[in-house]
DNA sequence: TTGCTCCTCACGTCACGTGAGGTGGC
DNA sequence: TTGCTCCTCACGTCACGTGAGGTGGC
């Protein structure tokens, strides 16, 4: 196509323009802002009619193909699948309902992505690992992989409200909490005296915790997916993530608390 | 696993709990809130280590598998691909940079989806077809498929600013505009007199349009993808979407406008 | 002749899902 | 015995992309 007299407006030129343009696949793809692979894909999917061919087999696209291709591109951009686009040409369903369904889908997707972004912001702000369970993003700094593993399991078992109680407790424990340090440092082969010392140290905060959040005395009762599910998940996780000495210390501290509560009550 | 004394807290139970639980694939999947197919997929992708087996070949998962599975799930939920998750275990790159890249991606995706939602809102409000080019959603009501095809091609060729000029012109044309109706009704075999009549009727608004938006006298000059691209796309589209009689009327109206402008100037 | 374009066909990608065909446990 | 679960393997899905292998046009 030669450039015409620049003083001449488009309609004047168009009236003399060859009616049957013949675009190649590449030209068609360029005009529509897409790729030749995409054009061929739409042929295979029978979304786009095959054009005439030249003697050597080259495809010759017309304006109708460009318009259809642009239509398909537009519909995929708003979120329709190719199958849905094919159906649109068929028995005409309520187009308004289709649009509303699309919109609702987009709304849900956006909400989900925004939640993820909020979680990423917490991850950045508090410098915690990316795989930190979202409920503990603000308090997980400095936790070991094992601790985070336990929190991940807990996150599967408890509701948001209970998870927030756990988070609140964790936020109240200072980094240099003596009982926590003693517990964490308990060696695998700790003797009974060491275990007892850790338990005694742990007991007071354990007592105040269960007084503040009574559900913590048996989390099976508040597990939304059922007590069996909670027990099957949390017991092994706790048993696996703490050493036997630590588990003994926990059990012993628990005993101390129960005795103390019974005496005070 | 039997339900233990309900008065006993979790740590106490855990200390007596068998250290090596053995979950089946289904149990593991349930605990992680996913499917057995997903678990097996992660094995094939070598993201999740294969557990021990029983004599009959059944897999026996441990807590470590659950924790790893939860980690993978968490990372896919924030948008990492499985390949990226595998890389995370490898040479540790800057994790903060990875998070920021993820966040930027999410931000762009959300922005795109919100643009689409805004376009859908226009589609619903103005009752136009879903494939209407977004720039013309507010004025495309009642347009023929051919007209919308032309607008789709134009949308590929012009910038947002020029498209908005076109939209503004269309908004100003009342539904019962005489010249427009005359032009639209021009029969295929219209005689010269009918064509001339349509041209004369069109001329005034055509003149005021080019005076208001001078670029319209030759849109090749403002086409962001170049004059050749604009001409190759728009000329055939115009030539194809209007009848020869209509094209003649457009060309003639253009001539009238040019003559009038020359006389007045 | 050279480089560029066009064509078809088969297979790859991504994160799984589906289904076949067979075995083990209660 | 019946129904339920487990296993592997191969192929399907979605919207294309990649690459091979070959031909045509300037």
């Amino acid at each position: 196509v030669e450039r015409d007299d620049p003083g001449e407006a488009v309609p004047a030129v168009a009236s003399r323009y060859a009616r049957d343009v013949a675009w190649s696949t590449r030209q068609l793809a360029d005009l529509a802002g897409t790729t030749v692979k995409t054009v061929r894909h739409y042929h295979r999917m029978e979304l786009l009619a095959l054009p005439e061919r030249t003697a050597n087999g080259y495809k010759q696209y017309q304006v109708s193909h460009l318009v259809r291709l642009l239509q398909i591109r537009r519909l995929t951009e708003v979120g329709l699948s190719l199958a849905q686009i094919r159906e649109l040409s068929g028995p005409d369903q309520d187009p308004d309902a289709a649009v509303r369904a699309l919109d609702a889908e987009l709304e849900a997707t956006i909400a989900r992505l925004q939640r993820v972004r909020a979680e990423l912001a917490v991850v950045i702000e508090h410098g915690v690992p990316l795989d930190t369970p979202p409920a503990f993003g603000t308090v997980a700094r400095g936790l070991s992989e094992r601790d985070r593993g336990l929190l991940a399991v807990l996150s599967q078992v408890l509701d948001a409200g209970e998870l927030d109680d756990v988070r609140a407790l964790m936020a109240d424990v200072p980094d240099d909490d003596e009982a926590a340090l003693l517990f964490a440092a308990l060696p695998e082969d700790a003797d009974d005296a060491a275990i007892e010392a850790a338990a005694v140290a742990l007991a007071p905060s354990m007592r105040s915790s269960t007084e503040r959040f009574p559900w913590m005395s048996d989390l099976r009762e508040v597990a939304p997916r059922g007590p069996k599910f909670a027990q099957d998940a949390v017991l092994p996780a706790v048993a696996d993530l703490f050493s036997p000495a630590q588990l003994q210390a926990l059990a012993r501290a628990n005993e101390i608390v129960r005795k103390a509560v019974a005496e005070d009550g």
Side-chain angles (χ1 to χ4, degrees), chain A:
Chain A
V1 177
E2 284 297 302
R3 178 101 186 255
D4 298 82
D5 167 13
E8 208 170 3
V10 165
V13 178
S15 68
R16 291 188 281 98
Y17 197 81
R19 301 280 311 202
D20 36 337
V21 274
W23 290 311
S24 70
T25 307
R26 164 143 309 282
Q27 288 174 316
L28 181 75
D30 286 349
L31 287 171
T34 183
T35 71
V36 296
K37 301 291 186 178
T38 299
V39 171
R40 291 181 184 140
H41 185 60
Y42 294 163
H43 285 317
R44 271 207 306 284
M45 298 295 105
E46 301 194 313
L47 281 170
L48 183 63
L50 280 166
E52 308 276 291
R53 308 232 183 196
T54 61
N56 60 24
Y58 286 20
K59 301 197 187 74
Q60 299 202 101
Y61 292 97
Q62 311 290 115
V63 172
S64 62
H65 299 102
L66 175 59
V67 168
R68 173 62 171 161
L69 178 56
L70 289 174
Q71 184 192 33
I72 298 171
R73 293 270 59 193
R74 175 68 193 141
L75 293 174
T76 62
E77 274 163 19
V78 301
L80 288 182
S81 70
L82 298 188
Q84 289 174 312
I85 293 174
R86 196 169 10 216
E87 284 164 22
L88 279 187
S89 327
D92 44 354
Q93 298 119 349
D94 183 0
D96 210 54
V99 176
R100 283 176 205 284
L102 258 181
D103 192 56
E105 227 179 278
L106 285 173
E107 187 176 13
T109 304
I110 289 171
R112 186 174 54 76
L113 296 182
Q114 280 171 338
R115 274 198 303 278
V116 171
R117 278 201 81 193
E119 292 165 5
L120 290 186
V122 171
V123 163
I124 291 175
E125 190 189 338
H126 290 83
V128 296
L130 184 49
D131 60 347
T132 305
F136 300 102
T138 58
V139 295
R141 185 167 211 168
L143 288 189
S144 68
E145 262 197 71
R146 299 171 81 85
D147 291 335
R148 281 183 284 120
L150 183 53
L151 292 181
V153 175
L154 262 191
S155 300
Q156 289 298 108
V157 159
L158 295 178
D159 257 343
E162 278 76 35
L163 288 176
D164 201 55
D165 291 348
V166 176
R167 189 199 51 70
L169 275 191
M170 292 177 65
D172 285 354
V173 177
D175 279 353
D176 58 351
D177 181 75
E178 272 189 46
L181 290 175
L182 202 61
F183 176 76
L186 211 58
E188 291 276 338
D189 59 348
D191 57 21
D192 286 353
I195 290 173
E196 183 68 20
V200 168
L202 279 176
S205 65
M206 192 181 270
R207 180 172 181 180
S208 75
S209 298
T210 50
E211 271 163 6
R212 188 167 161 200
F213 304 115
W215 66 265
M216 285 190 187
S217 65
D218 192 347
L219 55 79
R220 288 169 297 195
E221 314 249 309
V222 296
R225 297 169 71 181
K228 178 156 171 30
F229 182 88
Q231 178 166 311
D232 287 1
V234 175
L235 287 193
V238 169
D240 190 272
L241 294 171
F242 293 120
S243 74
Q246 288 175 319
L247 290 174
Q248 281 185 50
L250 285 173
R252 182 69 188 110
N254 191 51
E255 225 175 274
I256 294 169
V257 169
R258 279 211 277 170
K259 218 172 276 176
V261 170
E263 280 168 14
D264 293 5

